[in-house]
């Protein structure tokens, strides 16, 4: 009997020793796999970017294919024109979405810096007179040198912002304040004001207001800017009558003013039709969003002036 017990114990010991050895072997394999160096710097499907992506690239490093300036521009313009998600752009161009989120602000800033000359407030009296000539001959409103208004750019609510960006349209947004000439081009843009603010209040906190108040823009005497009822009445700002019972001359004035002032509304409409990014809430950081909006305005002016000048 004792011999049987001893033999059973020996068999069990051998069995458990075998199991333990196998477990130790698997553990060693796992540890060795974790210590194995990575074979690739990027995923295999991303490495095929220059063969299957929407853009061709050149490799300019010994470690991996770098993203060229051409591809960054293509991705950025595609984002502005369509409003596609970064995930969609990732599959289309085979560029990681986290990389896209980093270079889009840089590219937009570069676009604006390159095209900033196309958004300039006139510096001389003759330039203001040229703008007045456009309003007088095209929109039948003499003495006008610009139409002023604000556009709400819809965004996702910034974290911890409370109701600062919540506007009267029951959405979250920032305000694009713009002065537009008779050809729908932006003369002045101010981006980033919180959506809860009124157009008049945002205007009074802008650099344009300070320049107009100090008469530092070389605007000839008796030339005015057209605005709606949200803006203050000034010597240099004309707004419509808001009474119900208007005399015939007042009705004609309101009609002429509205007809000339609508160019700023049309400019915002053209901007939104070219850049479908504005058709839905934008999920970007506020500092990035400012660069994106400025880049869109600069491209808008560049395209319009190219058509006008036949460039």
């Amino acid at each position: 009997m004792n011999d049987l017990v001893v033999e059973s114990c020996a068999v069990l010991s051998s069995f458990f020793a075998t199991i333990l050895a196998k477990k130790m072997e698997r553990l060693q394999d796992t540890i060795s796999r974790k210590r194995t160096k990575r074979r690739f710097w990027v995923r295999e499907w991303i490495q095929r970017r220059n063969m299957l992506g929407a853009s061709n690239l050149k490799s300019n490093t010994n470690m991996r294919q770098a993203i060229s300036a051409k591809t960054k521009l293509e991705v950025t313009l595609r984002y502005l024109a369509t409003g596609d998600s970064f995930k969609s752009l990732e599959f289309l161009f085979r560029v990681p979405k986290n990389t896209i989120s980093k270079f889009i602000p840089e590219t937009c800033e570069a676009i604006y810096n390159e095209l900033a000359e196309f958004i300039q407030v006139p510096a001389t009296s003759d330039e203001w007179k040229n703008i007045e000539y456009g309003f007088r001959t095209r929109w039948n409103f003499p003495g006008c040198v610009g139409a002023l208004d604000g556009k709400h750019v819809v965004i996702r609510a910034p974290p911890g912002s409370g109701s600062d960006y919540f506007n009267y349209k029951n959405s979250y947004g920032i305000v694009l304040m713009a002065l537009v000439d008779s050809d729908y081009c932006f003369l002045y843009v101010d981006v980033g004001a919180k959506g809860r603010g009124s157009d008049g209040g945002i205007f009074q906190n802008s650099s344009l207001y300070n320049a107009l108040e100090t008469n530092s823009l070389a605007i000839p005497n008796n030339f005015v800017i057209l605005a709606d009822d949200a803006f203050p009445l000034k010597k240099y700002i004309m707004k419509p009558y808001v009474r119900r019972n208007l005399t015939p001359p007042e009705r004609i004035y309101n009609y002429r003013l509205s007809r000339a002032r609508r160019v700023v509304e049309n400019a915002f409409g053209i901007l939104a039709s070219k850049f479908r990014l504005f058709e839905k809430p934008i999920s970007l950081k506020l500092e990035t969003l400012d660069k994106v909006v400025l880049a869109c305005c600069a491209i808008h002016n560049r395209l319009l002036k190219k058509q006008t000048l036949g460039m």
Side-chain angles (χ1 to χ4, degrees), residues 51-111:
M51 294 183 293
L52 302 176
S55 174
N56 294 325
L57 294 181
K58 280 187 176 181
S59 175
N60 59 3
T61 69
N62 295 325
M63 306 301 295
R64 71 184 96 183
Q65 288 181 331
I67 302 175
S68 67
K70 174 178 176 288
T71 300
K72 291 180 179 180
L73 180 60
E74 290 174 344
V75 174
T76 301
L77 292 179
R78 173 80 182 189
Y79 173 69
L80 299 179
T82 65
D84 286 348
S85 66
F86 289 172
K87 193 67 177 178
S88 175
L89 295 172
E90 177 183 49
F91 289 121
L92 179 61
F93 289 91
R94 293 181 178 263
V95 178
K97 64 179 181 179
N98 58 327
T99 305
I100 292 175
S101 67
K102 289 182 180 179
F103 71 66
I104 278 185
E106 300 171 356
T107 308
C108 287
E109 185 175 9
I111 290 173

Side-chain angles (χ1 to χ4, degrees), residues 27-28 47 76 78 139 162-163 192 210 219 280 294:
L27 180 60
Q28 290 294 334
Q47 287 183 323
T76 301
R78 173 80 182 189
W139 303 113
S163 61
N210 293 330
I219 299 178
K280 54 187 177 182
L294 287 174

